[in-house]
Every structure is written in C-alpha cells, then in structure tokens.
Amino acid sequence: YSVHVYDPPAFTYQRILNDKFLKTVKYPSRIGHRFWDEKSLKWALTPVIAFAAKHNAKILVGEFSAARWTGNDGVHYLRDLINIFEAQGWGWTYHIFREKGPWDPEMGVDRHDQLRHETTPRLESLKRFFDRNKRISPNAPNQPVIRLANGEWKPYLSKNLKRYGVVSHIVTEAFNSQGIKVKYGFYPWARSME
C-alpha cells in the first residue's frame, strides 16, 4: 500500500501554487490550529499506522517533500518524516529528483535559482538516510526473486531489447539495490494485467 505525505500543505507547498500558500511558513511551528513537529506528523499518519497494524500491510511512502526554499526547516521536516517512516518499517521514496525544480534536492534555497549544485544540505541529509539502509549484494545466496509480467512496448519494454528495455532495466536495478532478483515474462497486455 502506498501513501503520499505533504502535511501540512501550508508548509510543504508554500510558494508553489500561484494562488495559495504564499505566506512563508516555518517548521516546526504553529500552522493553522496545530503545532506541527515530528509528534504531530506521526499523529497525521495515525490512520496509516493503524491500517498497517490491522492488516499486517507493507507501506510505501511513494511521495513526500517540501519546497526546497523552506531551507533548513525543510531539511528538518524531511528528517522528522523519514525517522517516522523508518521507525514504522516503511519504505519511502523522496519526491522528486531532477524533474521539477521546487522539490529538487540538488537545487539551493533560492527559488529563482534553477542550477543544480554538487551538494546541498537537503541532498546531504537524504544521502545520510540512504547510507543507513541495509544493502544486499545482488549475488547473495538465497536472494529473493520477484516475477514480473511485461507487455511489448518498444523502446521501453521488450523481450528483444537489451536488458528488456529501459523501464525494465530501471526496475531491475531498483530491486537489485534491495537484494531482490527480477525475472520477467513477456505476455500480451491483457494477460500481463491479470
């Protein structure tokens, strides 16, 4: 099961949407009627925590971030969220790397600066969390295997392409980074979706 986390939006989306969230907001701080800090972020995630416990469900936080111009407050916010995710045993993916300027951890805190930097406080904080995660060698014995069904969709997916296409290669590398081997089967789309 996957969730996206952007609470409180007055902080995370500040100055991204043209007609909303134009005020500069700090973190941690009182935002609206609530004081937002790690404790209140965990409170906001209570329904997800309860669902995971009730259903013994694996959770992936598929997106979370705050505008990069939130500076050190944004780094603090991300660190608090990742601490919660990891304490719950959830997987997480940062939104977004090299796609949209407001979230890019390689860009600085000046919202008009679109240059990527070798390092930023946000990028270094994320790297520290990445380094803490256990990595399993893709050649480890008894490596788990996941079987995935693909359809033909050149140049992205194909049994006739090197590494089965660029998308298959990315998926394979992502699973390999977690010590999981991928085996593909290529079928007509209708059967792949079953």
Side-chain angles (χ1 to χ4, degrees), residues 52-119:
K54 180 178 179 181
H55 300 285
N56 194 27
K58 302 255 187 229
I59 302 296
L60 169 66
V61 180
E63 286 186 20
F64 71 101
S65 195
R68 63 184 165 84
W69 38 83
T70 57
N72 288 331
D73 288 351
V75 172
H76 186 168
Y77 170 83
L78 297 174
R79 188 174 58 240
D80 284 353
L81 279 177
I82 295 170
N83 283 331
I84 294 167
F85 304 157
E86 296 206 343
Q88 296 299 318
W90 298 348
W92 54 270
T93 56
Y94 174 80
H95 177 78
I96 202 162
F97 186 74
R98 288 191 176 176
E99 186 174 320
K100 188 160 174 76
W103 316 105
D104 194 323
E106 291 181 311
M107 293 183 181
V109 297
D110 179 346
R111 58 189 287 249
H112 301 292
D113 179 7
Q114 297 296 307
L115 297 176
R116 291 198 167 86
H117 304 278
E118 188 173 321
T119 189

Side-chain angles (χ1 to χ4, degrees), residues 11 14 24-31 36 70 73:
F11 175 72
Q14 61 186 289
T24 298
V25 178
K26 297 292 198 178
Y27 176 89
S29 73
R30 179 165 295 285
I31 302 169
W36 285 91
T70 57
D73 288 351

Side-chain angles (χ1 to χ4, degrees), residues 136-154:
I136 302 171
S137 167
N139 300 318
N142 302 321
Q143 181 181 12
V145 175
I146 186 168
R147 298 183 192 295
L148 299 177
N150 271 354
E152 290 287 327
W153 187 26
K154 288 183 180 178

Side-chain angles (χ1 to χ4, degrees), residues 18 28 34 36-37 39 48 61 78 141 151 156 158-160 173 176 178 183 185:
N18 291 337
R34 175 174 300 281
W36 285 91
D37 60 4
K39 183 178 176 182
V48 182
V61 180
L78 297 174
Y156 308 106
S158 177
K159 65 182 173 188
N160 299 317
E173 290 301 308
N176 278 341
Q178 299 304 305
K183 291 196 175 183

